[in-house]
Each structure stands twice: as C-alpha cells, then as structure tokens.
C-alpha cells in the first residue's frame, strides 16, 4: 500500500505536474478524507472550516497491478444548499498524460547525453542561456548553470599547440562501388564505434568523421569535475602529442579487427599527425557543428594523404614533441600548397615497437571489450 498526499489550489495556469502527481496501483476503493468512494466519481463535497485548506489522503488496497496517475484539485466553495463552507474535489485520470511526460523526460535525458558527446561545456552553457532568454520550459537539472555562459561571439577559442590526427581507409572508394550502401554504413559504424571507444582511453577529442576519414585532436579538451568536456586552459603539448601517437598506434591495431565487407580482408588504414595553432567554434544553427579550424587541419590532412598505408606519418612540428620515439625520416615529401616538408614515419614492421605496440594492443582489446 502506498500513501500520497496532494493539495492543489485553482490558478489560472497549470502547476507543475511533478508537484501534484500521485501514483497508485489499480484500486478497489479510495479512502478520501475518511469517506469511502469509488475512483470514477467525478466530484465530492466535504464540509470543512471556513478558509481551511484540504489535505486529501488516498489509500489503495491493491498494490500488485499496473500503476496509474490521478490528479486531484481542491477548491473552497460555499454549499449552495446549507450555506456552509465546503471543499470541492475534482479527481481526473491523467495516466496517459503522465506516461507521455515520463517518456518525454527520458527522451530529454538521452538528448542531453548526446549533446554532452557533441559539444563542450561552454557551448552547452550558451545553449542553456539562449533557451532561458526565450522563456523555454525548465531544463534538466544535469545541464550546466547558464550564469557564466558566454555570448555567441565568445564561443570561439584559440589554441597554440593542438595535435591533429587524420585517418584514411585503404581501398574504401573501390569497396563502396562493390557493396550496397547499407553495408558501407554498417561497416563504417562498426569501425568508427571501435575508434570512439579508444577516444576516452587516450583522453583525446573526436572532432568529426567525413566519409571514411576519422579526425581527432589532443591538447584541446579535458573532463572537468562535473563530468563535462571543457576546453583545457593549460594543455601540455608534449603530453598531448604522446597521447595522440598512442591513440594512432591503437587505431592501426584496432582497424585490423574489422573486416572489409567486399572481400573479408582486415581493414588497413594510414594516419597523419601535425601539431600547430587552431581555432575551435560553433558553426551554424541548423545541425550546429563544433569543430576545429586552421591551417593545422590542412597540414594534418596532407600528412595522412601522403602517408604509406599501415603507417603513421608525422610532421616535424610533432616530431619535435616526441624526441624519444623511433621514427624513420622520409627525407621530405611534396605537400600540396606547402612545398617540400620534412616528415617522419612510424611503421609496425620497420620500427619494431615491441612492448609499446603490445601495450597499445592490450589497451585496445580491453577498451573494446568494455564498450561491448
């Protein structure tokens, strides 16, 4: 048996449903203010003292069936017959409305979880502040407080040393011509979901995907004490480059665990990495996108496009941050729009990573296992 007390004064606007809702399993009878009453009765009159407020206590004798929701409204009136003060109770079955609100609350929570994956904290704060300014309904309590939210012109952030990673899948274009689009989508979803699982392990930021290209960044964000992604105010460029390189090695290993849909062969990728200045910001209002901009993105893309398959190619700027790692100098490569650039290769076959690769493989296996 469950007791709920509800009290409601009639106002022009509807009060919050959470403040007046009582849940009871399907009853035989209700006990209302000491009077036995069937639940389908529309109105009940009870004598009370002038100006007194009523407290309606409901008790259910059957607690094992499906729950439902009733709303009880209490209004002070004058009995037209006796002239005495009375209390008018109006009981309404609002089960369908309450169930809809419950589903909407669950949807809102899942939407928030998705937004947390898409945007850093300061962008969420901006969204909250913007909705509050438009007199929107109350938002979930897990959203950040909008008190310190920036305006739209302050959402862009400059970063001095961000390490950007680009990946590309060997033979993706040819494969896409041989299989159905739904198979391509399922394949990319499997591969990129595995990559996503590694993002948290190596504490880097997933920027976006474009076709078969997966883009990530290090030295850009961190997780704050409330669990939100936020801009890292004091990033360590060397430590960030190390994490991105470890992430890249894990990607090479992880990709081989996913087979190509047209020939059943293990997926092979190439990775390009470059470190330099960048700007982050929110673009657009329809499907808004928080992304990274600047020539560092272009250079990282060129590191990937000129990289041999199965290898990691880094620029000289990134190599300076990784002095104790085995790389093979390329002697320079021609980069579109850049001319000849000094680059360095890391190859599992050539550089004999040994324990480093084994550690990346073990971490990858553990992360993928945990995510599934």
């Amino acid at each position: 048996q469950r007791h709920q007390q509800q009290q409601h004064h009639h106002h022009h606007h509807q009060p919050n449903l959470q403040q007046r809702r009582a849940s009871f399993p399907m009853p035989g009878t209700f006990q209302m203010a000491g009077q036995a009453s069937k639940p389908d009765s529309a109105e009940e009159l009870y004598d009370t003292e002038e100006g007194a407020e009523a407290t309606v206590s409901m008790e259910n004798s059957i607690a094992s069936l499906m729950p439902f929701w009733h709303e009880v409204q209490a209004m002070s009136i004058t009995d037209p017959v006796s002239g005495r003060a009375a209390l008018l109770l109006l009981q309404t079955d609002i089960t369908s409305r309450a169930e809809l609100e419950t589903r909407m609350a669950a949807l809102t929570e899942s939407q928030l979880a998705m937004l947390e994956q898409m945007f850093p904290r300061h962008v969420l704060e901006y969204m909250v502040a913007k909705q509050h300014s438009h007199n929107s309904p109350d938002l979930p309590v897990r959203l950040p407080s909008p008190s310190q939210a920036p305006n739209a012109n302050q959402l862009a952030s400059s970063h001095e040393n961000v390490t950007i990673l680009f990946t590309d899948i060997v033979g993706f274009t040819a494969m896409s011509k041989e299989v159905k689009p739904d198979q391509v989508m399922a394949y990319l979803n499997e591969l990129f979901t595995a990559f996503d699982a590694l993002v948290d392990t190596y504490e880097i930021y997933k920027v976006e995907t474009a076709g078969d290209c997966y883009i990530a960044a290090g030295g850009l964000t961190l997780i704050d004490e409330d669990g939100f992604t936020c801009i890292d105010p004091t990033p360590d460029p060397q430590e960030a480059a190390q994490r991105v390189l470890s992430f890249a090695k894990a990607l090479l290993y992880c990709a081989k665990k996913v087979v190509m849909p047209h020939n059943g062969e293990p997926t092979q990728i190439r990775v390009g990495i470059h470190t330099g200045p960048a700007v982050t910001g929110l673009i657009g209002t329809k499907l808004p996108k928080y992304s990274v901009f600047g020539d560092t993105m272009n250079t990282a893309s060129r590191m990937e496009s000129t990289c041999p398959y199965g290898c990691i190619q880094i620029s000289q700027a990134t190599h300076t941050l990784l002095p104790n790692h085995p790389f093979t100098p390329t002697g320079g490569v021609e980069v579109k729009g850049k001319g000849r650039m000094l680059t360095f290769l890391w190859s599992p076959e050539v550089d004999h990573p040994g324990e480093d690769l084994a550690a990346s493989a073990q971490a990858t296996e553990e992360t993928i296992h945990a995510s599934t």
Side-chain angles (χ1 to χ4, degrees):
Q1 295 181 343
R2 182 185 299 174
H3 289 269
Q4 294 283 348
Q5 291 188 337
Q6 293 292 322
Q7 189 171 353
H8 174 67
H9 297 284
H10 186 70
H11 295 285
H12 179 265
H13 66 278
Q14 292 291 341
N16 190 311
L17 185 59
Q18 296 289 349
Q19 298 175 350
R20 66 185 186 191
R21 184 185 296 165
S23 176
F24 306 93
M26 194 66 70
T29 61
F30 283 121
Q31 295 294 325
M32 291 187 175
Q35 298 288 328
S37 173
K38 295 294 183 182
D40 58 352
S41 58
E43 297 181 357
E44 297 288 346
L45 292 175
Y46 297 99
D47 292 342
T48 184
E49 295 296 331
E50 184 72 31
E53 294 183 352
T55 299
V56 181
S57 178
M58 298 183 176
E59 180 177 358
N60 182 5
S61 60
I62 302 177
S64 61
L65 300 179
M66 294 295 293
F68 69 91
W69 299 91
H70 270 210
E71 175 184 276
V72 177
Q73 293 179 328
M75 293 174 285
S76 296
I77 65 171
T78 300
D79 190 324
V81 177
S82 65
R84 299 176 60 189
L87 186 67
L88 174 66
L89 299 181
L90 177 63
Q91 180 179 339
T92 308
D93 187 340
I94 60 167
T95 302
S96 60
R97 190 175 79 193
E99 289 177 346
L100 176 60
E101 186 182 78
T102 300
R103 289 194 295 269
M104 290 299 295
L107 177 61
T108 300
E109 188 67 19
S110 65
Q111 288 174 329
L112 174 58
M114 182 175 293
L115 287 174
E116 290 176 11
Q117 297 294 322
M118 296 171 62
F119 304 112
R121 179 168 188 148
H122 71 288
V123 175
L124 293 176
E125 290 174 345
Y126 168 74
M127 293 177 175
V128 173
K130 188 175 181 180
Q131 291 204 25
H132 273 263
S133 67
H134 287 84
N135 298 318
S136 65
D138 293 339
L139 295 170
V141 295
R142 291 184 61 242
L143 279 170
S145 169
S147 59
Q148 301 299 323
N151 59 48
N153 295 330
Q154 296 174 316
L155 289 179
S157 303
S158 297
H159 314 270
E160 289 302 319
N161 289 288
V162 179
T163 298
I164 304 293
L165 173 147
F166 273 70
T167 69
D168 175 68
I169 301 172
V170 179
F172 178 81
T173 302
M175 178 269 290
S176 299
K177 297 177 181 179
E178 297 182 29
V179 300
K180 296 180 180 179
D182 60 333
Q183 292 177 284
V184 176
M185 185 193 72
Y187 163 74
L188 286 178
N189 183 60
E190 180 183 1
L191 180 64
F192 288 167
T193 297
F195 287 2
D196 289 346
L198 295 171
V199 166
D200 292 334
T201 299
Y202 293 96
E203 298 180 351
I204 63 175
Y205 181 75
K206 177 184 177 181
V207 178
E208 63 178 311
T209 60
D212 66 324
C213 182
Y214 191 99
I215 309 171
L220 189 64
T221 61
L222 53 77
I223 303 299
D224 66 16
E225 63 276 7
D226 297 321
F228 290 94
T229 299
C230 66
I231 298 298
D232 188 347
T234 56
D236 182 338
Q238 190 168 5
E239 189 264 345
Q242 170 62 65
R243 284 189 282 108
V244 172
L245 177 63
S246 297
F247 175 70
K249 293 177 181 179
L251 293 184
L252 292 178
Y253 176 85
C254 179
K256 294 180 180 179
K257 298 296 181 180
V258 180
V259 299
M260 303 285 282
H262 67 308
N263 58 16
E265 293 294 324
T267 298
Q268 195 174 21
I269 63 173
R270 58 185 179 186
V271 182
I273 301 175
H274 176 59
T275 303
V279 172
T280 56
L282 187 67
I283 300 298
T285 57
K286 298 295 184 181
L287 296 176
K289 175 183 175 183
Y290 184 81
S291 195
V292 183
F293 306 91
D295 190 60
T296 300
M297 290 283 284
N298 298 330
T299 305
S301 176
R302 298 293 184 263
M303 292 298 100
E304 172 264 304
S305 62
T306 58
C307 178
Y309 289 120
C311 298
I312 301 170
Q313 180 169 238
I314 67 173
S315 66
Q316 186 174 20
T318 304
H319 184 262
T320 301
L321 299 172
L322 302 167
N324 299 320
H325 290 268
F327 290 98
T328 302
T330 62
V333 296
E334 288 295 328
V335 176
K336 183 179 179 181
K338 297 286 185 180
R340 194 163 189 83
M341 292 185 65
L342 293 178
T343 65
F344 302 82
L345 283 180
W346 185 92
S347 170
E349 290 77 16
V350 175
D351 294 297
H352 306 292
E355 294 182 1
D356 189 28
L357 181 59
S360 295
Q362 182 178 0
T364 302
E365 290 283 10
E366 292 175 353
T367 300
I368 294 174
H369 178 72
S371 67
T372 57

